[in-house]
Amino acid sequence: MSPAPVQTSLRRLWVGAFVGFFLIFGAWAFAAPYDGPPDEVQHVIRAAGVVSGQVAPEPVIIDNWDGRGSRGLGAYQRVPEGLHSPATCWGFDPDKPANCATSIHGGPVTEVPTSAGRYNPTYYALVGLPVRVWPGWGGLVLSRLISAALSAALLTCAFAVLVRWSRFGLMLGGLVAASTPMLAHLAGAVNPNGLEISAGIALFAAGIPMVLDKRMVASRRPLYWLFGISAVLLALVRPLGPLWLVSALAVLGLGLSRARIRELWSTKLVRNWTLGIGAALLASVAWTLVMRTGSVVPPDDEPRPYISPLQAALTYFEDWNIYFRGMVGGAGWFDIFIPSPFYWLWISFVAALLLFALVAGGWADRWRFVPFVLGGFVAPGILQVAKANVLGLAVIGGRYMLPLLVGIPLLAAFILDRTLMNARLSRTTTRLFIIALLPVHIVLLVYAMIRWQRGRGSGGLNILKGEWHPPTGSLLPMLLMLAGLGVAAYIFWGAQNLIHRAAGGDGPLTVASTATEWSTPGTAANGAATANGGAVTANGASTATVGRHRRPEPDDESPVVGH
């Protein structure tokens, strides 16, 4: 395949992937009432304050920040008073539609409380202008769409690097599994959690081939840029970002040889991004300490029954079925869930990747999953137990852990692509992920719209019936979702076919006997990668990896993807 057609295909795939992701996320931007997504009122007030120049308000204890008399540590922002319209009348009554709520509106600028007032301003500076200039439904949707576009851009870049660096394309299936309906719900809202999860996906999509794949393929410069940008965003967007970033770096760095570390450090762009990531980590930690972002106070003055550490730990362990549901899709105020088989389906697909990766990978591969356990399971458990007598037993939600745990299906797919799979099996598996998982996005959107329109459990799946509808109508979100899923399925399917053709078709399945056979360029032995990342010889059958369409170029001079 000549370089020009492949470059043209990559550009077309990039545009198509962005359109698909943006439409899927944008559907939620038009579907949800104000404060329908988690804590959206708090984040909107913070965003409007940041773009008004109120970057570091004084942390104070505020009462009635959610309209329900709750007490907590936050801040005040001088914004239009109509932005403080929380879902008080319906948000905690799943059988009540959203038509009782006061619509988002402007009004005189005054001191408005928000529990997000101490949060890092990075995300809010990006999305806050529309809702500050136009404090109504139009401004809210524009701010949501900016948030959706940011997440879509990160996932599209992740898709692009995987098309070029995934050996047989199985990591595209891992990307489908990592991009859960819960991510789509958050990405289409004013909530930094969506951008945080997207940054985690992009970080692993770039970092895994950047660090663990030693083949001489096309320039790694796009990997360095995507990894650096994603790491900085992950560190800054939310208070737990440094924990997720350090855990992710531990996953990627575990077992690296000194020679590999020296090889990476010899690249100027890697050194520069290392300094940038370190500065972002320090800035995030400093902000958390100065603004007391990690501090909490009891939500009220009423005495609480004592919860022992053992009781809190057992409850945390037992609640993991809830956390898994929250990772896949628990929309709104933890009151919008889909039928259980859809959760089983999604989790089983990810578990299958993980199980076979643990079986097929070497000891170094298996140890890489330990930081996922420590960072994504043990550390949140410690936080839950430590705060049990302050905030109760509901501190952690599944969506909070996603920025780190999205790396599991991507890493597992990388290991299987490198050890167990061939082009045909990878293509079939990725197609199965596309067919089985993408429709779950529609299911969650339908259940969410029904809950907002007429309350949960009211019967029927007609999204056009109910007491509340978005000002732009209830049909538009469903059309956007269907269009987005159609485009995404078509683009992912086409990208997998491109990788399959470039890999030489359905060669026989072989497993390399040593890690060296997968990583040593220019070796003629069976299973060894040749120079330029091109052919991989397996029992006489020639296969190839995406990336061979360009000659290797120096990392500091080569163009980025799409140029």
Side-chain angles (χ1 to χ4, degrees):
M1 186 177 291
S2 62
V6 173
Q7 290 292 348
T8 301
S9 297
L10 284 175
R11 293 190 187 99
R12 186 170 61 249
L13 289 172
W14 197 99
V15 173
F18 178 81
V19 170
F21 283 125
F22 183 63
L23 290 175
I24 293 170
F25 300 162
W28 286 98
F30 286 95
Y34 186 40
D35 208 29
D39 301 314
E40 187 174 52
V41 161
Q42 313 306 321
H43 297 302
V44 165
I45 294 171
R46 175 61 171 151
V50 168
V51 297
S52 300
Q54 305 161 55
V55 175
E58 180 184 359
V60 295
I61 295 177
I62 54 177
D63 294 316
N64 199 33
W65 56 268
D66 59 355
R68 302 175 66 242
S70 299
R71 176 174 177 267
L73 189 64
Y76 287 93
Q77 307 266 226
R78 288 190 57 81
V79 298
E81 65 177 2
L83 297 182
H84 189 238
S85 301
T88 308
C89 66
W90 62 271
F92 298 90
D93 185 351
D95 296 323
K96 196 170 185 179
N99 62 323
C100 64
T102 302
S103 300
I104 180 175
H105 57 282
V109 174
T110 184
E111 295 281 345
V112 176
T114 170
S115 62
R118 302 160 292 144
Y119 285 10
N120 192 292
T122 303
Y123 168 79
Y124 303 102
L126 297 172
V127 304
L129 186 60
V131 79
R132 177 63 183 90
V133 175
W134 188 7
W137 178 257
L140 174 65
V141 169
L142 284 177
S143 290
R144 287 173 172 178
L145 290 177
I146 292 174
S147 186
L150 292 171
S151 288
L154 284 173
L155 294 193
T156 301
C157 291
F159 167 83
V161 299
L162 293 182
V163 170
R164 296 186 66 187
W165 275 277
S166 180
R167 182 170 182 260
F168 290 133
L170 185 59
M171 290 186 76
L172 292 179
L175 179 58
V176 172
S179 305
T180 67
M182 190 63 188
L183 165 60
H185 173 47
L186 294 168
V190 180
N191 190 315
N193 199 186
L195 185 61
E196 181 189 30
I197 297 168
S198 300
I201 292 174
L203 183 144
F204 281 107
I208 290 171
M210 182 185 84
V211 174
L212 304 182
D213 193 343
K214 302 178 186 178
R215 294 170 298 161
M216 292 180 61
V217 295
S219 167
R220 296 176 182 267
R221 188 180 180 90
L223 298 178
Y224 302 148
W225 276 99
L226 181 58
F227 181 84
I229 293 171
S230 303
V232 168
L233 286 174
L234 186 59
L236 292 176
V237 167
R238 281 179 55 85
L240 288 178
L243 170 63
W244 308 140
L245 179 56
V246 170
S247 300
L249 294 177
V251 170
L252 297 174
L254 193 66
L256 285 186
S257 66
R258 292 182 180 179
R260 182 61 178 152
I261 295 174
R262 285 196 298 268
E263 180 184 350
L264 290 169
W265 189 251
S266 66
T267 303
K268 181 180 179 181
L269 195 54
V270 172
R271 296 195 301 271
N272 290 342
W273 272 117
T274 300
L275 294 175
I277 294 169
L281 271 173
L282 291 176
S284 181
V285 173
W287 181 275
T288 297
L289 294 176
V290 171
M291 296 299 293
R292 298 161 59 194
T293 307
S295 301
V296 295
V297 296
D300 52 51
D301 294 324
E302 297 180 5
R304 290 173 170 269
Y306 175 75
I307 303 173
S308 69
L310 178 60
Q311 179 185 358
L314 290 175
T315 301
Y316 171 73
F317 189 78
E318 292 171 358
D319 283 347
W320 264 85
N321 64 317
I322 301 175
Y323 300 146
F324 282 134
R325 295 171 71 191
M327 293 176 194
V328 176
W333 291 90
F334 305 107
D335 60 355
I336 302 172
F337 295 99
I338 54 181
S340 294
F342 292 106
Y343 297 109
W344 302 339
L345 176 69
W346 204 289
I347 297 300
S348 66
F349 270 55
V350 175
L353 284 178
L354 175 60
L355 175 62
F356 284 107
L358 291 174
V359 172
W363 279 107
D365 296 322
R366 295 169 190 147
W367 277 105
R368 292 190 191 281
F369 290 100
V370 173
F372 285 120
V373 176
L374 296 178
F377 178 80
V378 176
I382 293 173
L383 176 63
Q384 174 73 81
V385 172
K387 301 298 182 182
N389 286 295
V390 178
L391 297 178
L393 296 174
V395 178
I396 296 296
R399 63 186 176 94
Y400 297 128
M401 308 171 195
L402 271 180
L404 174 64
L405 298 185
V406 289
I408 290 178
L410 291 169
L411 179 60
F414 170 80
I415 293 171
L416 291 175
D417 241 358
R418 187 169 55 109
T419 57
L420 191 61
M421 307 294 275
N422 64 1
R424 179 182 61 83
L425 292 178
S426 291
R427 182 179 65 172
T428 301
T429 303
T430 299
R431 287 178 172 179
L432 186 58
F433 272 67
I434 294 170
I435 294 171
L437 299 186
L438 287 185
V440 182
H441 286 266
I442 302 176
V443 177
L444 183 62
L445 180 63
V446 168
Y447 272 73
M449 292 179 69
I450 290 173
R451 184 266 176 269
W452 293 324
Q453 290 165 6
R454 58 183 186 269
R456 185 183 63 182
S458 57
L461 297 176
N462 184 1
I463 61 169
L464 303 179
K465 177 184 178 182
E467 290 76 25
W468 179 88
H469 293 281
T472 43
S474 293
L475 184 60
L476 178 61
M478 185 55 58
L479 293 177
L480 292 176
M481 178 63 74
L482 291 172
L485 291 176
V487 171
Y490 176 80
I491 293 298
F492 271 76
W493 200 280
Q496 182 61 61
N497 286 339
L498 176 65
I499 296 172
H500 184 265
R501 290 195 300 270
D506 302 336
L509 174 64
T510 59
V511 179
S513 59
T514 65
T516 305
E517 293 180 358
W518 292 111
S519 58
T520 305
T523 305
N526 289 346
T530 66
N532 198 28
V536 176
T537 309
N539 295 341
S542 178
T543 61
T545 58
V546 169
R548 88 286 302 138
H549 54 273
R550 297 178 55 198
R551 64 182 177 82
E553 302 177 54
D555 285 323
D556 294 331
E557 289 80 24
S558 58
V560 298
V561 171
H563 284 203

